[in-house]
Every structure is written in C-alpha cells, then in structure tokens.
Amino acid sequence: VIEAHGDLPGSAELLTPHGFTRARVLLQMRRDLAGVDPDPRPQLPADVQVLPFRPGRDEEAWLHVNARAFAWHPEQGRMSRTDLELRESEPWFDPAGFLLAWRGDPDAGGTLLGSHWTKVHPAGDAGPDPVGEIYVLAVDPDAQGLKLGAALTDLGLAHLRRAGLGSVLLYVEEDNAAAVRLYEGRGFRRFAVDVSWRRRPAR
C-alpha cells in the first residue's frame, strides 16, 4: 500500500502502469462556524432525546451502535472498550461535546440510536487557531430515515460554535456518498485529499 497526500495526476501516471489501483480516498472537508445556528432546534421523534455522553455508563451502548454503523469500516467498526477509554483519557476529550440520541430513558431500557462525537484541535495542530472536528458521527442502521444524522450534525456544530471556535473539519471516505452529501448540505467543502494505492496481486 502506498499513501499519497493529495490526488495528483502524476501519481496515477506513475503507479497505474505498475499494477496499482486507488484503494481508498479519504477527504478532509472544512467549513467556518460563523453561519452556524448556536441554538438549533432540530425536529426529533417525540420519544427521542439527545444527551451528553456519561463516562463509565454509556460505553457499551455506544460501542454497539458504532460497530453497527461502521460495520464496513476496517478500523472504526472494530473499536474496543479499551480503545474508547484511551480516548476518554486524552486531554481533548469533552463529554459535553459527545452527544447521544436515545429512544426512551437510557437508565430505564432506552435504546441508543446515534451519536455525534466532536473534538477540538489546539492551535497549531490543524491550523494557527483552534479547530473543531466532527470526530465520529454514527447512526444505527435500524434508525435510518429518522434524519438523526442531520440533527446530530447541527447540534454538534452548535456546540463547537458556542465553544468559541471559528472553523470545523472532518474526514470522510469519498465513496460514502450519503455522508458526503450530508456534509455538503451543511456547508462543508473539500479541503484536502489522501489516496491509498494498492498493488494488484500477481497472477
């Protein structure tokens, strides 16, 4: 596997004759937060509420939904409890920016339907100023059609704007057409591209 930062025609001209094909295209998308409503009121089903993540209580429910939402993804869909707890111990972790959409009461048999986990990069990490990130947006396949992806996106962007950030980024697979369409509809534009090239096995 060869990683190429950018999607330059020269890469294709160099690698294709040697049996390489594009295996993965990862987009970085960005938008500013100035136009984001800091207090959105998305329309949710009557029995759905959005609450912040509770460390020590919500891990298993989140891991279950995340694995279902990213069953196709080689890394994200296999995140373990240890992986999650390591991220909870990071200095950037903020449960107030980790939003969970529950059907019913999470302490009385409620069902987790989706989540939006935001992150903040310190100044100098992704630019001269602090930058927010849509770190993980996940909706259980059984909850598709409830427009939770759009609602959770809006609530997470509002959280980042209220935190005083000026811009936000995200990473998404180019072939995840539904996600790219959602983000473009929320004002995100392509900022950078990383391409993985894989060599076809010899016959």
Side-chain angles (χ1 to χ4, degrees):
V1 176
I2 294 177
E3 301 287 342
H5 296 291
D7 190 13
L8 303 176
S11 298
E13 293 174 4
L14 177 66
L15 295 171
T16 301
H18 295 282
F20 285 89
T21 58
R22 289 156 61 106
R24 183 185 185 191
V25 181
L26 186 67
L27 305 178
Q28 184 189 144
M29 305 179 77
R30 295 197 182 201
R31 66 154 294 168
D32 66 61
L33 288 166
V36 166
D37 183 352
D39 186 26
R41 306 292 177 91
Q43 288 191 337
L44 297 168
D47 59 347
V48 174
Q49 58 179 332
V50 176
L51 301 171
F53 180 86
R54 301 169 301 171
R57 300 175 73 178
D58 293 334
E59 281 84 356
E60 291 304 321
W62 183 83
L63 286 166
H64 174 72
V65 169
N66 187 69
R68 284 173 53 78
F70 289 100
W72 53 273
H73 197 284
E75 298 102 22
Q76 185 64 31
R78 291 166 177 75
M79 187 178 289
S80 68
R81 176 85 182 230
T82 299
D83 296 330
L84 177 55
E85 290 176 346
L86 284 172
R87 285 160 176 77
E88 289 180 50
S89 68
E90 292 284 347
W92 56 262
F93 179 76
D94 177 12
F98 193 168
L99 307 175
L100 307 185
W102 293 92
R103 170 171 282 146
D105 185 341
D107 293 324
T111 301
L112 185 63
L113 303 179
S115 66
H116 182 181
W117 188 354
T118 67
K119 178 179 179 178
V120 177
H121 295 268
D125 188 2
D129 299 313
V131 177
E133 180 179 348
I134 293 182
Y135 185 53
V136 185
L137 179 69
V139 176
D140 190 286
D142 288 345
Q144 297 293 337
L146 299 179
K147 300 183 178 179
L148 290 178
L152 286 165
T153 298
D154 290 344
L155 290 167
L157 294 178
H159 168 80
L160 294 171
R161 182 182 175 185
R162 291 195 304 270
L165 298 166
S167 62
V168 57
L169 63 84
L170 61 86
Y171 295 92
V172 63
E173 308 283 343
E174 184 184 51
D175 60 2
N176 189 346
V180 172
R181 189 163 55 248
L182 168 65
Y183 296 136
E184 289 179 339
R186 289 302 185 271
F188 283 88
R189 296 294 177 262
R190 300 183 184 206
F191 182 83
V193 181
D194 288 330
V195 181
S196 296
W197 295 83
R198 186 178 301 277
R199 194 170 197 170
R200 292 187 298 270
R203 294 185 177 179

